[in-house]
Amino acid sequence: MAVQRARKRPFKMDLSRLHALCEANYARLLQLFPDYERSNCREFAVADARVRLEVLERSRHTTFFRLHQMHGEDRWLRSLVIDVRAYHDAGMLEVGAFQSQARIQPRYTYPNHQMFQQDEKLQQNQFLGDWLTHCQANGLGQMPALAPRGTH
C-alpha cells in the first residue's frame, strides 16, 4: 500500500490581523511621540536603556521614523533599530526595516536562505507592537537629545 504524502496547505497571510496590528501600532507611536509634526526627535529612558524616536522624512500622507534603543552595555546587548513608515491617511504604522534588514516580503517560502519565517512581516510588526507597549508602560520622561555619534 502506497503511503500518501500529506499535502501542505499554502501559507496565507492574515491581512486583517496585520492591518489591525498596524493600526494599533500607529496609535501607540502617536502616544509616545505626539508632537512628531513639530519635532524631529524624542528621547526617553526605559530602565537602563535610552530610546530615541526620530523623524527621518515627512510627506503629506506619510512619515518615516527610526526607532532606536541604545543600552548602557552595548557590548553585551546589541542596539535595536527599527525603521517604520506611518501612513496617516490610513492610520497605520508598518515596519520597513528591522535591524538593517530592509524590504521584508509579505510571506516567504520555508525554509529559505535567510531563515525568515513564513509570516516574518507579521512577526516583526507584532514585535514592534510589543516593544511600543513596553515603552508606553515603562518609559521615564523625556530626556535631552544625544549629540550625534562622532561629535563632541
Side-chain angles (χ1 to χ4, degrees):
M1 188 152 127
V3 177
Q4 283 187 319
R5 288 188 177 167
R7 288 192 181 220
K8 193 174 178 182
R9 287 186 184 175
F11 173 77
K12 289 187 179 184
M13 172 62 75
D14 186 346
L15 283 178
S16 60
R17 182 175 170 207
L18 179 63
H19 285 186
L21 185 55
C22 290
E23 289 171 359
N25 287 346
Y26 182 83
R28 290 177 184 115
L29 180 69
L30 292 186
Q31 287 177 351
L32 289 168
F33 196 177
D35 60 340
Y36 75 91
E37 292 177 293
R38 295 180 309 281
S39 177
N40 290 328
C41 182
R42 172 162 292 224
E43 290 192 11
F44 52 90
V46 176
D48 63 343
R50 222 177 149 104
V51 173
R52 180 182 181 102
L53 309 177
E54 183 179 6
V55 174
L56 299 178
E57 182 181 327
R58 290 182 182 90
S59 66
R60 185 174 179 185
H61 298 290
T62 59
T63 304
F64 293 91
F65 295 92
R66 174 159 293 147
L67 315 177
H68 190 183
Q69 180 172 308
M70 301 147 285
H71 300 277
E73 293 291 325
D74 268 346
R75 65 181 187 197
W76 300 112
L77 190 57
R78 213 171 132 197
S79 293
L80 174 66
V81 180
I82 307 172
D83 291 343
V84 297
R85 180 178 294 127
Y87 300 98
H88 303 298
D89 51 346
M92 298 174 87
L93 183 72
E94 179 181 39
V95 173
F98 186 86
Q99 296 296 83
S100 75
Q101 176 62 47
R103 211 87 178 122
I104 298 301
Q105 302 299 315
R107 65 178 154 240
Y108 288 90
T109 58
Y110 190 81
N112 56 70
H113 180 68
Q114 299 94 347
M115 293 306 293
F116 287 134
Q117 295 297 312
Q118 288 181 305
D119 64 345
E120 189 75 21
K121 185 178 196 89
L122 181 68
Q123 287 191 36
Q124 288 185 7
N125 281 282
Q126 179 65 58
F127 177 86
L128 173 64
D130 293 344
W131 182 76
L132 290 170
T133 299
H134 176 72
C135 288
Q136 287 175 312
N138 299 292
L140 304 172
Q142 181 143 351
M143 300 178 77
L146 284 175
R149 291 185 187 250
T151 62
H152 287 22

